[in-house]
Amino acid sequence: KDLIKFTKLKQGKDLLKWVRSITCIMWSSFQRCKGRLDELRERIMSIPEHLTGSHAFKKNKYFKACEHEKRKKNDRKYLKKDSLPIQKLKQIFTKNQRWEDLKNMTEYYHTGFLESFHSKLNHFAPKSTFFGYQTMCAKVSECFMSWNENAERNKKMDENGDA
C-alpha cells in the first residue's frame, strides 16, 4: 500500500514503471528463501539495488546475484542509487512491523491448485444453493472426477509451440 501511495506522488513517478517488477521479485523471494529469514531479507533488500542496475551483491551471505537472464531491451530507465524513490523504497521495506513480519513469510506455500479446485467445486455446488447430504456428496464426487481428469493434462499448444 505504501509503495502504491508513493508512486502516486510526483516524487514517486519514476518508481511507477517498476511496481510490477518489485511485486514479482518479492513473490520470487518468498518462494526461494527456503525458510531462511536472513536470505529473505537479503533478497528483499536487493530490490532497490536491482532498480539501480546492480545485479550482484557482494556483501550478502546467501543471495549473491540476481537469477534472471540479462534483458535484451530495457524500456525502463534505471534509478540513481541516492535518488528519493530508492531511499523511500528502502524505508518502506524496513518499516518496523513489516521488517519483523518477514519471519512469517519464510514458509512459502503456493495455493493456486487449492484455489483452482475450490473454483471448480463452486461450479458444481454453488454456495448460494442448498443441497441435501446425498446430493452434496454426489456433486463433490462429480467435482473430484472432473478435477482428476484434467489435473495433469498438458496445455493446448499452437503451431509455434506457445500455450
Side-chain angles (χ1 to χ4, degrees):
K1 290 181 182 179
D2 292 341
L3 178 60
I4 300 300
K5 194 157 94 174
F6 179 70
T7 58
K8 291 180 181 178
L9 300 175
K10 186 178 178 182
Q11 308 96 315
K13 186 177 67 167
D14 293 337
L15 204 54
L16 185 60
K17 292 179 180 178
W18 290 98
V19 170
R20 184 164 184 232
S21 293
I22 292 168
T23 305
C24 289
I25 296 169
M26 287 184 73
W27 278 111
S28 173
S29 298
F30 297 140
Q31 184 179 10
R32 296 174 186 217
C33 74
K34 300 175 187 128
R36 293 190 296 249
L37 178 60
D38 292 339
E39 181 176 349
L40 177 59
R41 286 184 172 157
E42 284 180 4
R43 286 176 177 273
I44 296 293
M45 290 312 294
S46 72
I47 296 173
E49 299 296 321
H50 185 88
L51 304 185
T52 63
S54 175
H55 301 282
F57 318 106
K58 294 176 184 173
K59 294 179 183 177
N60 289 355
K61 181 178 179 182
Y62 299 104
F63 186 59
K64 300 279 186 190
C66 291
E67 297 157 342
H68 61 81
E69 295 177 10
K70 192 170 185 174
R71 291 178 57 122
K72 293 174 184 137
K73 180 184 175 194
N74 195 353
D75 55 341
R76 299 169 289 193
K77 287 192 286 185
Y78 286 116
L79 304 174
K80 294 179 182 171
K81 286 188 184 245
D82 297 332
S83 67
L84 180 62
I86 294 296
Q87 291 174 1
K88 185 66 175 175
L89 189 59
K90 288 178 182 177
Q91 181 185 357
I92 289 170
F93 287 155
T94 57
K95 207 173 194 180
N96 282 344
Q97 192 59 47
R98 188 171 293 131
W99 192 246
E100 292 304 314
D101 285 346
L102 284 179
K103 64 183 161 225
N104 299 323
M105 301 298 287
T106 57
E107 298 301 323
Y108 175 86
Y109 181 75
H110 185 65
T111 59
F113 284 119
L114 182 62
E115 291 170 19
S116 179
F117 174 75
H118 283 146
S119 175
K120 186 171 275 294
L121 183 58
N122 284 334
H123 173 77
F124 285 99
K127 293 178 183 180
S128 61
T129 308
F130 174 79
F131 298 104
Y133 178 75
Q134 289 179 328
T135 306
M136 191 63 180
C137 285
K139 291 198 168 279
V140 170
S141 297
E142 186 180 19
C143 178
F144 277 128
M145 287 187 291
S146 175
W147 176 259
N148 288 337
E149 177 183 354
N150 296 309
E152 299 296 325
R153 186 178 69 186
N154 292 330
K155 293 179 182 177
K156 184 177 179 179
M157 304 288 191
D158 62 12
E159 309 86 47
N160 301 328
D162 296 326

